[in-house]
Amino acid sequence: MTSPGFLRVLAVDDEPPALDELAYHLRADPRVARLHTAGDATEALRVLRDADVDVVFLDIRMPGLDGMELARVLRRFARPPAIVFVTAYDDGAVDAFDLGATDYVRKPVRAERLAESLRRVIGSRVVATHPAALARAEEDPTIPIELAGTTRMLPRSAVRWVEAQGDYARLHTADGSHLVRVSLATLAERWADAGFVRIHRSYLVQLKLIAELRLVNSGYVVVIDSTELPVSRRHTRELKDKLVRAAKQDWNR
């Protein structure tokens, strides 16, 4: 994939003006060899039945089968296309992350933003040709975050700890923090297998990054990156048990 005009693209949106605008920008990109369009999920599936497609640019809120439901169908394909969600809303970002979306673009679409999405698609298709790299990508999924009006994909491995902020969660990394529209309880459930543990109603931490569990006047705290985070009484015993088990596993390696 080094020469211009190699990507086969399908754009799906139930609103004709939005679909026309999306198609206009995609056709103008020299990396797009062929562009198909569809006004709903049923028409999109007909296109996919008859044509090979590398990437689907997909609206979320559509009548009938919506974009998320269509993406779940596409994931079951033997060779699923990359998915880029294009939407006016930000409340689907976490579900998009769970579905393995390559990108999440906010409307109104801009040519430079779609160009960035195509670059990511190309990168994802290259990764897919290398089994070892693909395995690493599956082990370290990404989550969409907003940066200066642009949605970026943050690797889960970059998250050190998570702080609840109402219906949102703040993801703390080594170089900053990012607010995402998802509850702490949802992340605690989805990320449990990746080593994240609940230590408090307001905090979720990566277990292996805990440097200390310390007793202070008000109770226990954990230390991550020199930051002290409170441990609630109801989570203290479970946390101690998990730290002991993790230490034993490290010792026996």
Side-chain angles (χ1 to χ4, degrees):
M1 288 189 177
T2 56
S3 60
F6 51 80
L7 282 176
R8 298 160 296 186
V9 180
L10 169 61
V12 187
D13 199 310
D14 67 301
E15 297 181 357
L19 183 58
D20 289 345
E21 182 181 21
L22 179 59
Y24 172 80
H25 289 305
L26 289 171
R27 286 193 180 98
D29 194 292
R31 292 165 294 186
V32 175
R34 182 176 301 171
L35 177 68
H36 305 273
T37 60
D40 56 33
T42 301
E43 187 179 355
L45 289 171
R46 283 199 294 266
V47 171
L48 291 163
R49 179 192 61 196
D50 299 329
D52 291 328
V53 170
D54 297 305
V55 54
V56 179
F57 283 78
L58 181 57
D59 187 25
I60 292 180
R61 299 190 181 184
M62 298 187 296
L65 199 67
D66 68 21
M68 290 293 178
E69 293 167 330
L70 177 57
R72 291 186 181 95
V73 173
L74 300 185
R75 285 189 68 184
R76 296 197 291 267
F77 281 25
R79 297 182 64 184
I83 299 292
V84 174
F85 286 107
V86 183
T87 176
Y89 307 94
D90 63 1
D91 56 0
V94 172
D95 288 332
F97 145 69
D98 282 343
L99 287 169
T102 301
D103 205 354
Y104 191 93
V105 178
R106 292 287 302 278
K107 295 179 180 178
V109 296
R110 295 177 289 110
E112 59 270 24
R113 184 66 182 88
L114 289 179
E116 170 66 12
S117 289
L118 290 169
R119 186 193 65 77
R120 294 181 189 181
V121 168
I122 294 166
S124 73
R125 307 310 278 181
V126 170
V127 166
T129 66
H130 298 80
L134 179 59
R136 288 194 298 273
E138 291 175 345
E139 292 170 2
D140 188 19
T142 57
I143 185 167
I145 59 170
E146 289 289 328
L147 289 173
T150 298
T151 304
R152 302 291 187 188
M153 309 304 278
L154 177 74
R156 183 175 61 190
S157 61
V159 179
R160 319 287 285 181
W161 50 281
V162 185
E163 178 182 6
Q165 294 192 349
D167 294 332
Y168 290 75
R170 184 166 293 280
L171 311 180
H172 291 265
T173 66
D175 56 1
S177 67
H178 310 281
L179 195 65
V180 295
R181 190 173 181 177
V182 60
S183 70
L184 192 71
T186 298
L187 288 182
E189 179 182 352
R190 294 178 178 178
W191 289 7
D193 292 342
F196 284 84
V197 297
R198 192 79 172 261
I199 63 168
H200 189 277
R201 65 181 182 180
S202 297
Y203 296 100
L204 180 70
V205 305
Q206 174 54 266
L207 185 70
K208 66 183 180 181
L209 298 180
I210 295 177
E212 292 181 47
L213 174 63
R214 179 190 304 161
L215 180 63
V216 296
N217 293 335
S218 58
Y220 281 93
V221 298
V222 295
V223 179
I224 297 180
D225 298 336
S226 300
T227 299
E228 292 187 357
L229 303 173
V231 181
S232 65
R233 290 182 180 179
R234 67 185 293 253
H235 289 101
T236 298
R237 184 178 183 85
E238 182 182 6
L239 177 61
K240 287 181 177 179
D241 289 344
K242 288 181 177 180
L243 286 170
V244 169
R245 287 197 298 269
K248 287 181 178 179
Q249 290 175 355
D250 289 341
W251 181 263
N252 291 329
R253 285 176 184 172

